Amino acid sequence: MNLRKQIFNRALFNKCVDKKFSFSDRWNQNSTAYRMTKYDPTKELEGHNPTIYKGADQRDYKIRKLNNGISVITETTAYPSSVHMGILIGVGSRDETSHTSGACHALKSTYLKTVKHTNETINYGMIQMSGGETEMHYDEETMFYKSNCFEYDTIDMFRLLSDIAFEPRSMLSSNVAKDKVRQALKLNKHLAGYHPFQENPQRLLTTAYGYNTLGMPLKGMESNIGNIDAGMLKEFQLSNITPEKTTIIASGLKCHDEFFDLVNETLGVLNPVRELDYQRKPSSYIGGEFRTFTETPDTNILLAYETVNWVHEDMAVFAVLQTLFGNATGFSVGGPGKGMHSWGSTKVLQSTHFVHECEAINNHFTDSGLFGLNYTGNSHNAKDILMAMIEMFNLFRHSITDQDLARAKNILKRQVLLGMVNQSDRLEEVVRTVRILY
C-alpha cells in the first residue's frame, strides 16, 4: 500500500514539474486573470445575470412613534436570526455639569442593579439563560443599551432592557457606583504611568470646549466623586432623559406590529414632557493650548481645529481625509490593505526620522466637530514635529492626487460595508442615523 502511494505521489510530482512556470506569466496580458482586471467597473458585465431578490427576502424597516414621543424602529428579516434590541437615549457626558459630573459613568457601572421588578442576580440569570448578551455604553452625546436573545425571549429581555435604562438608581446602587467610579479613576491614573499619552484625546476636547458641554470629562471629574449619590443620579436622569430623546430599535423580527405593541405596553405609560424645557446647552468652541509634563523621552502633539457637525454636507469630506491620512506606527511593516500607502506611512514615517506614530483625528457631534492630527516622536524634535504637522495641513489643500482620493474613498466604502455585515453594529448605526437625520 505504501509503495503504491509513493508511486502515485512521484507521478503527480513529475506531472507538476513538467509544466514550466515563470514570474513573467503573471504579466501575460493574454491570460484570463489579466483580462479580468481590465473591465470598467462602472459598466455592467457582459453575460452576467444578477440574482433578483424577492420583496420577502429583503429587510423591511418601519419607523413609528408612541403617543408620548418615543420613536420605534423595527427591522424584519426572512432569514433565521437572533433578535437584537437597543435603546438609544440622547443624553451623554456633555449634558453633565460640575455638580453631576460622572453621572453617566456611575449609571454604566451599575446598569444591571435594578430593584423595582427584578434585581441584579435575576438580571444576570435572565441574560445567561437567554444565551445572549446585554451591555451599555455611552459617549459625549448618547447612552446606548443593547441586548440580543432568541426570539422567544424577546418580551422578557426587552422589559429587562427598559428597566435598566429608565429605572432610577437606589441608594445602595449609587453607593456601589461611587466606589466603582473612584476605583476606575484610580486605575486610570495608575495606568497613565505606563501610557502617559492616553488622556490626551480627552484633554483635546476639554481644551477645545472648556469644562462644559463637549469638554466635560467622559469618565467624570475626580473632584466630584463625593457628590455621586441616589439624589444626584435621579436628578440627572429626570433633568435630561425624555421620551423625545429616546429611540428604540429591534432587528431580526417577524412582525413589526408585535414589537411596537410590546414597546407601547412597556413604555407607553411614560408621560410626555415639554421638550423645550429639556434642550441641551449648545457647545461653544473656544480653542487654546494645553501642555503637560511626562517622564518619557517622547512627546505627543495633537493639533486640531473646529469643523462641521454630523448633518453638514462637508462631513463626508473629513471622513475621506481621515482615511486618506490613516494611521501608522514605526513597528508596523505594513502590507496590502494595511495602510502601507496611507499618507501617515508614505509622507510621515518614511519621510522623517523623528516621528514614531501618527494618526488623523476626526470627531463629529450634533453641533460641532474637530479634525486634526496626532503625532508622537522624539522630545528634542518637538519643534520639527509641530512644523511637520502644519505642513501636512498645507498638503491637504493642494497635494491630493486622483489616485490618493480613489484609494481613500474605496477604503472608506469598504469600512462602511464591513460595519453593515454584523447585525449588532448595523443596528446601532441605523438607530444613530435615524436619530440624527430624522
Side-chain angles (χ1 to χ4, degrees):
M1 183 68 180
N2 292 334
L3 179 61
R4 184 184 304 171
K5 183 182 296 185
Q6 292 178 5
I7 295 174
F8 174 78
N9 291 338
R10 184 64 182 175
L12 181 63
F13 174 78
N14 292 334
K15 182 178 181 181
C16 294
V17 170
D18 289 340
K19 185 171 182 178
K20 304 295 182 181
F21 293 95
S22 66
F23 183 79
S24 60
D25 289 339
R26 301 182 182 182
W27 307 103
N28 182 7
Q29 297 190 12
N30 294 323
S31 68
T32 305
Y34 188 90
R35 288 199 303 272
M36 287 178 63
T37 63
K38 297 182 66 173
Y39 282 115
D40 185 352
T42 62
K43 297 181 180 179
E44 186 176 349
L45 294 176
E46 296 181 5
H48 174 61
N49 297 319
T51 302
I52 307 298
Y53 287 95
K54 299 179 180 179
D57 296 332
Q58 296 179 344
R59 296 186 182 94
D60 180 33
Y61 291 91
K62 280 189 178 181
I63 304 175
R64 290 186 286 182
K65 272 193 174 187
L66 302 184
N67 293 332
N68 58 12
I70 294 179
S71 300
V72 181
I73 308 170
T74 51
E75 174 194 279
T76 58
T77 177
Y79 303 100
S81 172
S82 59
V83 175
H84 289 251
M85 299 171 288
I87 298 178
L88 180 72
I89 302 175
V91 177
S93 62
R94 68 169 293 171
D95 299 298
E96 297 175 351
T97 63
S98 58
H99 173 67
T100 59
S101 178
C104 291
H105 192 179
L107 292 174
K108 174 179 171 56
S109 300
T110 56
Y111 71 94
L112 288 178
K113 291 184 177 296
T114 58
V115 294
K116 187 176 181 180
H117 299 112
T118 59
N119 56 44
E120 186 177 23
T121 302
I122 295 176
N123 292 339
Y124 271 116
M126 291 175 61
I127 294 171
Q128 292 298 312
M129 292 304 295
S130 71
E133 299 173 324
T134 299
E135 60 182 281
M136 178 264 190
H137 59 84
Y138 69 97
D139 54 29
E140 287 81 5
E141 297 193 307
T142 59
M143 294 188 293
F144 190 58
Y145 300 82
K146 63 180 180 180
S147 180
N148 58 80
C149 61
F150 292 115
E151 182 182 4
Y152 50 76
D153 287 323
T154 302
I155 296 177
D156 292 335
M157 294 307 296
F158 178 75
R159 288 175 176 169
L160 182 151
L161 206 61
S162 301
D163 286 343
I164 64 178
F166 297 103
E167 183 178 311
R169 295 296 179 265
S170 65
M171 182 176 65
L172 177 61
S173 297
S174 60
N175 290 336
V176 174
K178 179 190 295 187
D179 186 64
K180 285 190 174 184
V181 171
R182 180 184 290 110
Q183 294 299 326
L185 293 179
K186 183 179 179 180
L187 176 62
N188 195 62
K189 184 181 295 186
H190 173 73
L191 294 177
Y194 301 95
H195 306 282
F197 306 135
Q198 67 178 10
E199 292 300 315
N200 284 356
Q202 178 61 63
R203 291 167 179 158
L204 176 68
L205 289 174
T206 302
T207 304
Y209 300 99
Y211 278 101
N212 59 79
T213 62
L214 295 173
M216 289 298 293
L218 197 62
K219 297 180 180 179
M221 295 187 293
E222 187 175 5
S223 60
N224 197 56
I225 294 178
N227 289 331
I228 298 177
D229 56 24
M232 187 270 270
L233 295 179
K234 183 177 180 180
E235 175 190 346
F236 177 77
Q237 289 176 291
L238 295 178
S239 300
N240 294 282
I241 299 177
T242 67
E244 285 286 348
K245 293 181 180 179
T246 304
T247 306
I248 297 172
I249 188 170
S251 64
L253 304 172
K254 292 185 177 179
C255 180
H256 295 285
D257 295 334
E258 287 184 359
F259 185 79
F260 182 82
D261 292 340
L262 172 62
V263 176
N264 190 35
E265 178 185 345
T266 307
L267 299 177
V269 296
L270 296 180
N271 295 324
V273 298
R274 190 172 182 268
E275 294 292 334
L276 292 177
D277 297 334
Y278 294 85
Q279 290 185 345
R280 61 168 40 132
K281 179 182 177 181
S283 64
S284 176
Y285 178 82
I286 59 177
E289 178 183 0
F290 180 88
R291 300 188 186 192
T292 184
F293 173 78
T294 57
E295 296 182 359
T296 173
D298 290 337
T299 186
N300 177 239
I301 301 178
L302 286 76
L303 181 62
Y305 59 92
E306 186 182 25
T307 56
V308 299
N309 58 28
W310 271 115
V311 297
H312 196 278
E313 60 182 5
D314 291 335
M315 187 273 290
V317 175
F318 293 100
V320 173
L321 279 178
Q322 182 187 23
T323 308
L324 174 74
F325 185 85
N327 61 79
T329 64
F331 298 98
S332 176
V333 297
K338 297 180 181 179
M340 63 183 299
H341 293 296
S342 67
W343 277 22
S345 178
T346 59
K347 295 185 181 297
V348 181
L349 293 190
Q350 296 178 17
S351 303
T352 62
H353 66 278
F354 45 79
V355 179
H356 304 155
E357 299 179 19
C358 60
E359 66 175 346
I361 303 169
N362 187 36
N363 297 324
H364 293 287
F365 307 102
T366 54
D367 57 358
S368 185
L370 287 177
F371 180 83
L373 298 172
N374 182 355
Y375 282 22
T376 302
N378 299 324
S379 296
H380 59 273
N381 292 111
K383 182 178 179 181
D384 296 328
I385 295 175
L386 181 59
M387 296 306 297
M389 298 174 78
I390 296 175
E391 177 59 25
M392 183 57 63
F393 280 115
N394 190 41
L395 293 177
F396 283 144
R397 298 173 57 193
H398 52 69
S399 297
I400 300 177
T401 65
D402 292 339
Q403 182 178 356
D404 291 331
L405 186 61
R407 180 187 65 82
K409 285 183 177 180
N410 289 336
I411 292 177
L412 182 59
K413 292 176 184 177
R414 180 63 176 167
Q415 290 173 347
V416 173
L417 293 176
L418 286 176
M420 294 296 101
V421 171
N422 183 277
Q423 187 172 356
S424 179
D425 294 340
R426 185 180 71 252
L427 178 89
E428 186 170 349
E429 189 65 29
V430 169
V431 69
R432 291 183 182 276
T433 302
V434 171
R435 168 160 179 79
I436 293 172
L437 299 180
Y438 295 94

